[in-house]
Structures are given as C-alpha cells and as structure tokens.
Amino acid sequence: MNNKELANLIFPDITKTIEDYEKIYPARNLNEGAVVSRFAPSPTGFVHMGSLLSALIASKVPKETNGIFYLRIEDTDGKRSVENGIQGIIDDLKNFEINIDEGVVSETKQIGNYGPYIQSERKEIYQTFVKYLIANDLAYPCFCTEEETNEIRTIQEAAKERIGYYGHWAKCRNLSNEERSNRIKNGDKYIIRLKSPGNFNNKVVIEDLVRGRIEFPENDLDIVLIKSDGLPLYHLAHLVDDHLMRTTHILRGEEWVSSLPVHLQLFKIFNFKTPKYAHLGVIMKIDDDQTRRKLSKRKDPEAAVSYYHEKGIPVEAVKIYLMTIANSNFEAWYNANPNKTIDDFTFSFKKMSESGSLFDVDKLMNISKNYISKLKAIEVYERTIKWAKFYDQQLEQLLIKYQDYSIKIFNIEREQKKPRKDFGAFCEIKSGIWYMYDELFINVDYQFQTISDINEINKINQLYLSKYYNELDDKETWFSKMRLVAFELGYAKEMSDYKENPDKYKGHIGDVSMVIRVSLTSLSATPDLYEIMKLLGKERINQRLNIIKVK
RNA sequence: GGCCAGUUGGUGAAGUGGCUUAACACACUGCCCUUUCACGGCAGCAUUCAUGGGUCCGAAUCCCAUACUGGUCACCA
C-alpha cells in the first residue's frame, strides 16, 4: 500500500485539494504594506486584559495601513468552550469599540470572503491539508494511547532525556502502511502526527517584530496534527487558517514563542510564505508575597474586561492605558497632543516592551480621572446615565428626574483650565454628588471639624441665614459676607490675621465656612461651596441649615 | 531537566559606546498656595542600571560567566 492509498483510506470523503482552496481564497487585493491581522480567541468565557491588548494592537495596525482586521473563533477544543462564549467575546469587543472588518459578528452571522471564521466549521479544510501530508509521507497515523505517551514521557524524564515524541521514541513513525491500514480497518483509535523532517542539531532563525532575532533548534517533534475527534490542534489550524485567510501579521502572547520552530517548519513544508510574528509580553500581577505572575482570570477581577464596564471606567481610558503599556513613547505623545486620539498615533512594534509589565491600577485610575475631567458636563451626565442604567437604577432615575440640575452639578469647577479630577470611574460619581439630592440626603452623618459644638454651629448658621445670606450674591460678595459672620462671632476674617495672632480669635474664617459646608453637605471635603450653594438654592439651604437646629 | 527569552527606583519606562552627576509619567513624602477638597507650584525619592569578570581612553549600553524571573516541553489554546 502506498502513501496515497493510505491517505484515501484515512480521509475517503476529502475530495478537494489544497489548490482548490487556494482558488477559493485568493490572495487579497490590498495595497502594498497593508497588514492583515486577526484576533483569534477561544470561546472560554470572557476576554482577558492581555487579549484585549493584543486585539487593540491587532486592530490598530491594519487601520493604519488600510488592511484588514478580522475575528476568528478558535473552538477546536470542545472541552474548553463555554456557553455564550462567542457572544461574550463579541460584546467585549463592542464595549471597547474595537471594530472588525471580517469574521464572526454574532453567534449566527459571519461576514467576509475568507470564512468560515469558526474553526469547528473548517474541519474538511484542515483534513485536506493533512491528507496531502500523508500522501507525501509527511504525516502518519499514530495509534499510541495517552497512557503510552505518558509512559514515554516518564521514562524520558527519569533518563533526563529531551521530552517528546521524536526519533526512536516515535513508535508509530516507522510502521508499515500495511500495518497502519490493518489497524485502521480493525477500528483502532488513532491520531495524525507530523512526520517532522527537522533535525534538533540544526538551527532556525526567526525575526520577531518585537523581540528581534531569535535562534532555535529545528523542530524534530512529531507533533499531533489531528486529534481523535478529527479536529486539528492549534499548530495546524494556525498554518491553514492564517495562510488561507491571507494573514500577514500574527500577534499573540509570548507563550507561543517556543512553538515557533513548529510553525516555521509547517509553513516551510507547504512552501507558504511565513507571516510576520509579534509576540507580546504578558500583563503581570504582583502578589502580596512579591511574586509576579500572569494576570489571572480566576484570581484577579481586573483581568476581565467586563470589570471595566461594571466599574464604569471609560473605554478610552482603558485603551489609553493599554497603549501606554504597548508603546513606551505613546504617553509622551498623548500628553503633547491632548486633543488627539489613539487613532492618530502611529504604533510601532519596535517600541514594545519585551518583558511583561505589571498591571498598574493606580496608573489606570489616574488616566481615567484625567480623561473624565476633560469631558463636558453633558457628556459626563450622559455617560453616567448609560452606566447607571446597568448598575444603579436609583442614580439613573435621579439623573433623569433632575436633568438640568444634574448637568450643572457636573459642571462645577469643570469649565476651567485645570478642571477638578474627582472621578476615576462612573461608579464613583454617586459618592461624590449624592448630597445634592434631597432623596439621598437623609439620616446623614455630619463630619464637623474644629467647631463641633452644636450651639456654636447653630449660632453660625442662624446668623448667616438671618443676616447675611442672599441667593443673588456673586461669589465675591458671598465670601465677604462669610467673613463678616466670622468676624461678628469672634473669628479671624482673614487667615493671615489668625496666623499672626492666634490667641486673639476663637478660630478663623476657614472654621466658620467649614460649619456651613458640613451643615449643607454633611461632608468636610466638597467642591467649591459657593457653586454648591448656588445650585442647592434658597429653599434647600434654609431647610438644611435649620435641620441642624432641630437635631 | 531541555529549549527560549527577560533583568534600569515602589510601578510603567527613556536610554543602542562619550550630550547621563540616568529623562518622563504614576505612586509616595515634605513644604507652599488655599474657606475644605481638588487643582497648581516647589522640593525629595536609582552616585547607579541583577552579580562577577572582560574589551575600551571611556559601558546601563559590547563580550563571557553566574544568579534570579518568566515562557514552553498536551489528542489546551
């Protein structure tokens, strides 16, 4: 029996050839230098921060070069797939405004001419390639059970030999085709392995876009191509899909670096042009015991991109943060060009860090604070509502009920050169403005400071209310009256006066205005008091200053 | 254990043989400004680039060794 007959025995239903697929998926008609890249996750749950980073870059580079960015689903391992996994990925990408040109757009819909873009739907294509390999003595069926391969491994470990299915360890490699066909006809279970033409003593060199030149021994492992369920393993799927989908750039995590010799070998065997590779450092997390590890889906909530949606951290802020990790020159560029967006920035693989960086929540929050501080009040209002719709219905209703009032609240100390930076996330907004709403200003806990005697507090409040408060006052008048209250009750009306003669006064203007502030808001730290009082209005001010009296 | 890579302050990093007594940003500390907070301003925060050796007039930058960290060695991706 020759190899071709063996191939037909194993894949009797495969009638197309590789050439057929080359015609079905012709070279893309793109400009020179156009990058075709992809995001190719497994539907294992949610999108990870590290995946988002690579998706962001993989989508950005085609955008810069008039190329194509597509989404492919790698679901060849049924055990890992999760219900609604595909939809989760699509939603996460949508949330982060990462748009695809081709690929899977919903559980049931795919767009583009190079599909299907879900690997489990491409079984025949993979098998066509493997059939070719078998027919050309470059692959063979392997009947070893998992127990047997484990056993080989144990022996190799004990003997301190290189681990893997290669050389004389590859028991099924040199079986005769007759024996192979007999065992297949006999119903023995098998997988398909590559008959690796490599030699471990030879070297292969690859130019990685971020890591530069890397040298490896050639692959001589007879890696598994097709599993017993007929579906391919990653290595084969990578070759077939990225060739047929005409991918020019492979962006993936650094955990793939060591598979490079396999992938290079596969491309060489088929005489396909190898794509360019960029292996990205993984995002790390430091534990309390100072050990570094990969940011983990299970242990770290911030690893899931849905976390940012929940917290209400603007997607732009997350993307800006990821770009500062991705390209070290981005941050300086962004600070120098505050009105530009990520789209205006030219990404460079060379500027990528090779080692994984630690995930820095402080930095992210700083970026987010700055970002939100630059938004217009109406934008803050709308985006807070959008967030609250999912996560805080009470806040949502208040914002809708008091629309103009709320927008004015968001505008306090905003329209100025250096706006306030109170909010790092939309989930923090309620805790910053709640006291402006009567519905929330109940059973409050007053944080009085230096003046905490209730009689003195009332004296200040009542004097202010009865003699000085006028809602029409401008800020200057308002504050000069505040000084008069202080003076009349024996407090220094200027801070400097108090500092010169502290014994002459009961306290200073700051102590007095603090009483008003706390009486009105219950808090000792608020934005500008004058602005707050303007919005609170006469009625509410009267009411709130008088509640204290009752207490 | 084999193979591959990485190692510059608390963090992200700039730096590719002299311009570096190591930029910038975050965090932190102190002071100032100030009716609180925030903003802002000023100052501090690596005499040293994992360690040891070498090349050189000169090294964070080049070479070697060691250490440590990470990745990988599945019918997972």
Side-chain angles (χ1 to χ4, degrees), chain A residues 140-275:
Chain A
Y140 60 90
C142 168
F143 302 91
C144 292
T145 60
E146 270 187 83
E147 291 76 55
E148 279 174 282
T149 46
N150 285 340
E151 200 179 308
I152 291 172
R153 180 203 182 82
T154 313
I155 296 168
Q156 287 170 332
E157 271 173 6
K160 295 203 195 294
E161 291 225 32
R162 198 153 51 83
I163 289 158
Y165 203 85
Y166 64 96
H168 68 277
W169 301 101
K171 287 194 260 181
C172 295
R173 182 178 191 152
N174 297 314
L175 260 32
S176 71
N177 281 349
E178 278 64 35
E179 189 169 348
R180 286 168 176 157
S181 81
N182 286 339
R183 292 184 69 167
I184 290 168
K185 284 173 189 159
N186 189 37
D188 286 9
K189 289 197 93 178
Y190 63 93
I191 56 177
I192 309 294
R193 284 185 185 274
L194 175 71
K195 189 171 177 182
S196 172
N199 178 341
F200 191 73
N201 297 314
N202 292 342
K203 295 277 182 248
V204 293
V205 172
I206 168 88
E207 192 73 25
D208 183 277
L209 257 18
V210 345
R211 276 144 210 279
R213 190 188 148 96
I214 318 175
E215 197 176 270
F216 300 89
E218 235 171 54
N219 175 60
D220 66 344
L221 263 33
D222 285 356
I223 55 143
V224 179
L225 263 12
I226 301 266
K227 299 180 284 179
S228 52
D229 63 4
L231 284 166
L233 235 46
Y234 177 87
H235 308 298
L236 206 225
H238 160 50
L239 167 93
V240 172
D241 293 347
D242 286 317
H243 172 68
L244 254 23
M245 296 179 186
R246 310 293 170 179
T247 315
T248 62
H249 286 59
I250 310 295
L251 275 81
R252 33 140 86 147
E254 66 177 349
E255 67 268 26
W256 291 110
V257 172
S258 47
S259 309
L260 239 15
V262 173
H263 300 161
L264 258 25
Q265 185 174 59
L266 254 14
F267 276 89
K268 196 175 161 195
I269 285 173
F270 284 96
N271 202 19
F272 293 157
K273 189 180 178 204
T274 48

Side-chain angles (χ1 to χ4, degrees), chain A residues 367-518:
Chain A
I367 289 170
S368 189
K369 266 187 186 172
N370 278 308
Y371 181 82
I372 293 177
S373 79
K374 284 192 225 156
L375 295 175
K376 296 256 176 288
I378 178 82
E379 293 174 304
V380 178
Y381 174 78
E382 281 165 0
R383 295 179 67 155
T384 307
I385 286 190
K386 204 171 149 197
W387 172 83
K389 193 165 278 173
F390 284 97
Y391 302 107
D392 190 341
Q393 272 82 30
Q394 185 193 35
L395 178 63
E396 186 202 5
Q397 281 161 20
L398 284 171
L399 290 176
I400 291 171
K401 188 170 170 190
Y402 305 108
Q403 178 172 355
D404 290 345
Y405 180 65
S406 301
I407 293 172
K408 282 178 184 155
I409 294 170
F410 289 130
N411 209 36
I412 294 176
E413 292 181 81
R414 178 168 293 276
E415 305 255 320
Q416 53 195 33
K417 277 179 258 36
K418 297 286 180 181
R420 289 186 71 87
K421 298 179 187 177
D422 288 327
F423 308 119
F426 297 115
C427 76
E428 292 173 359
I429 280 181
K430 195 185 199 175
S431 68
I433 63 166
W434 63 275
Y435 54 81
M436 297 301 286
Y437 300 90
D438 287 335
E439 286 86 341
L440 301 175
F441 197 80
I442 40 174
N443 297 323
V444 297
D445 176 25
Y446 290 97
Q447 298 173 6
F448 286 109
Q449 304 289 303
T450 29
I451 302 174
S452 55
D453 176 61
I454 190 71
N455 294 319
E456 187 67 10
I457 288 166
N458 269 317
K459 215 190 274 179
I460 292 169
N461 286 342
Q462 292 308 320
L463 176 65
Y464 177 64
L465 219 43
S466 59
K467 192 165 169 189
Y468 292 106
Y469 173 62
N470 181 340
E471 63 172 332
L472 299 175
D473 286 342
D474 62 17
K475 187 164 182 182
E476 213 170 299
T477 314
W478 167 82
F479 194 57
S480 66
K481 286 181 171 177
M482 209 56 107
R483 291 191 198 276
L484 289 175
V485 175
F487 187 69
E488 199 169 321
L489 294 172
Y491 296 86
K493 64 179 195 288
E494 298 281 353
M495 203 54 149
S496 48
D497 292 349
Y498 179 74
K499 279 182 183 165
E500 273 170 40
N501 292 299
D503 301 334
K504 221 172 123 184
Y505 302 100
K506 282 154 76 183
H508 54 78
I509 172 70
D511 298 326
V512 173
S513 50
M514 179 58 84
V515 166
I516 309 268
R517 179 189 308 277
V518 177

